[in-house]
Amino acid sequence: MMRLLKLLVVVPLLLAMLAAAGGLWWLQQPLPLATSASDKEPLLVTINPGSSAQTVADTLSSSGVNTPSLLLYAWFRLSGQARDIKAGTYELSAGTTPRTLLSKLVRGEQALRSITLLEGWNIRQVLQAVRSSPDLTQDMEGLSQNDIMALIGYPGRHPEGRFFPDTYRVVTRAPASSVLKQAAQAMEQRLAKAWEQRDPASPLRSADEALVLASIIEKETGLESDRRRIGGVFSNRLRIGMRLQTDPAVIYGLGERFDGNLRRVDLQTDTPYNTYTRAGLPPTPIAIPGTASLMAAVQPMNTNSIYFVSRGDGSSQFSATLEEHNAAVQRYILRR
């Protein structure tokens, strides 16, 4: 009788110990993922807001985690963290264990992707980059540029030049418009900061004018050492009422008609962006400027130059008189 009682006590205890040991072992083992995910790309799983622990387990199993949802649900409940699981899109790679899976879900470590907007891009290029990203949920189909600006919180604002060039980290499958909203907010902040640091002698009357000039500087040169000097040339011209005569603005005004060859007739054909036929700044930016160009617009170099011409190697030749400029054109443009 005593032996039977001992067996009745010992056997369940041994079974419990074996189950516990098995559970601890399972928690350290990689979860079996769908073959396409484990061998090639990480598995993406989206947990919807308000999902219960059972729903999360079911979603994981149906999305490619080849483990019974009941087992996952039991682990979530026994951990005491079932209610701490956060909604979002998660990336599971080969080697993910039940323990690291739960940690990822509880910490909200969502899958992130990068999207880059480059200095000098115009609005068409910016929208193309965002709309063509396979990592974003496209929520701007059929929307005009004005509609997009309203969607991201800037109704009535012209979109050109309003997005700061940078690399943005976003949650996988985030709305495409969220990238533009981040970039617009970043430009607003960078522009305001630059405007606060403007030279008191600047001929610019507003931050928006600074943005327009910065976009022209951005397109005129990629050489860091020339930016502020070019800013000085344009500031001098604005100050004395001389036309800017900047080719990038003319090219922008031509739009898709520009075939890569700027002709004399283009310089003579009046458009709102033709700075050869119209004085002052164009009505809008012509591209997205980076920080260096923003600062070159508001803190231009103190120079007596009012002309510059490309040397053909990325740098520019600056001149204070028309005679010097014509000689530079003869040397660097006509002979070439």
Side-chain angles (χ1 to χ4, degrees), residues 166-195:
D166 203 350
T167 296
Y168 296 91
R169 294 280 285 170
V170 294
V171 175
T172 301
R173 297 176 183 169
S177 62
S178 68
V179 177
L180 295 182
K181 186 172 184 177
Q182 287 185 58
Q185 291 173 342
M187 179 59 84
E188 189 172 46
Q189 294 167 2
R190 300 298 182 95
L191 178 59
K193 185 176 180 180
W195 185 243

Side-chain angles (χ1 to χ4, degrees), residues 158-280:
H158 195 284
E160 193 64 78
R162 293 292 175 177
F163 304 101
F164 188 73
D166 203 350
T167 296
Y168 296 91
R169 294 280 285 170
V170 294
V171 175
T172 301
R173 297 176 183 169
S177 62
S178 68
V179 177
L180 295 182
K181 186 172 184 177
Q182 287 185 58
Q185 291 173 342
M187 179 59 84
E188 189 172 46
Q189 294 167 2
R190 300 298 182 95
L191 178 59
K193 185 176 180 180
W195 185 243
E196 289 176 356
Q197 302 174 65
R198 67 188 181 278
D199 186 333
S202 171
L204 301 174
R205 297 168 296 180
S206 68
D208 281 352
E209 286 193 353
L211 183 61
V212 174
L213 182 55
S215 72
I216 294 173
I217 296 171
E218 187 69 58
K219 296 298 291 184
E220 280 286 6
T221 184
L223 192 62
E224 189 72 22
S225 59
D226 278 356
R227 291 184 194 276
R228 291 188 60 238
R229 194 164 185 179
I230 289 176
V233 168
F234 287 137
S235 292
N236 287 342
R237 289 193 169 206
L238 289 172
R239 195 175 287 111
I240 65 178
M242 184 178 177
R243 293 177 183 176
L244 297 185
Q245 297 182 327
T246 172
D247 292 353
V250 177
I251 292 170
Y252 180 84
L254 292 174
E256 295 181 359
R257 291 177 295 159
F258 181 62
D259 60 3
N261 184 21
L262 189 63
R263 301 171 176 84
R264 182 179 296 274
V265 66
D266 297 324
L267 302 181
Q268 297 171 342
T269 302
D270 184 54
T271 75
Y273 292 88
N274 191 333
T275 52
Y276 285 83
T277 61
R278 299 195 184 194

Side-chain angles (χ1 to χ4, degrees), residues 84-99:
D84 298 327
I85 294 174
K86 297 176 177 62
T89 298
Y90 296 90
E91 193 173 71
L92 307 182
S93 56
T96 299
T97 67
R99 190 183 296 278

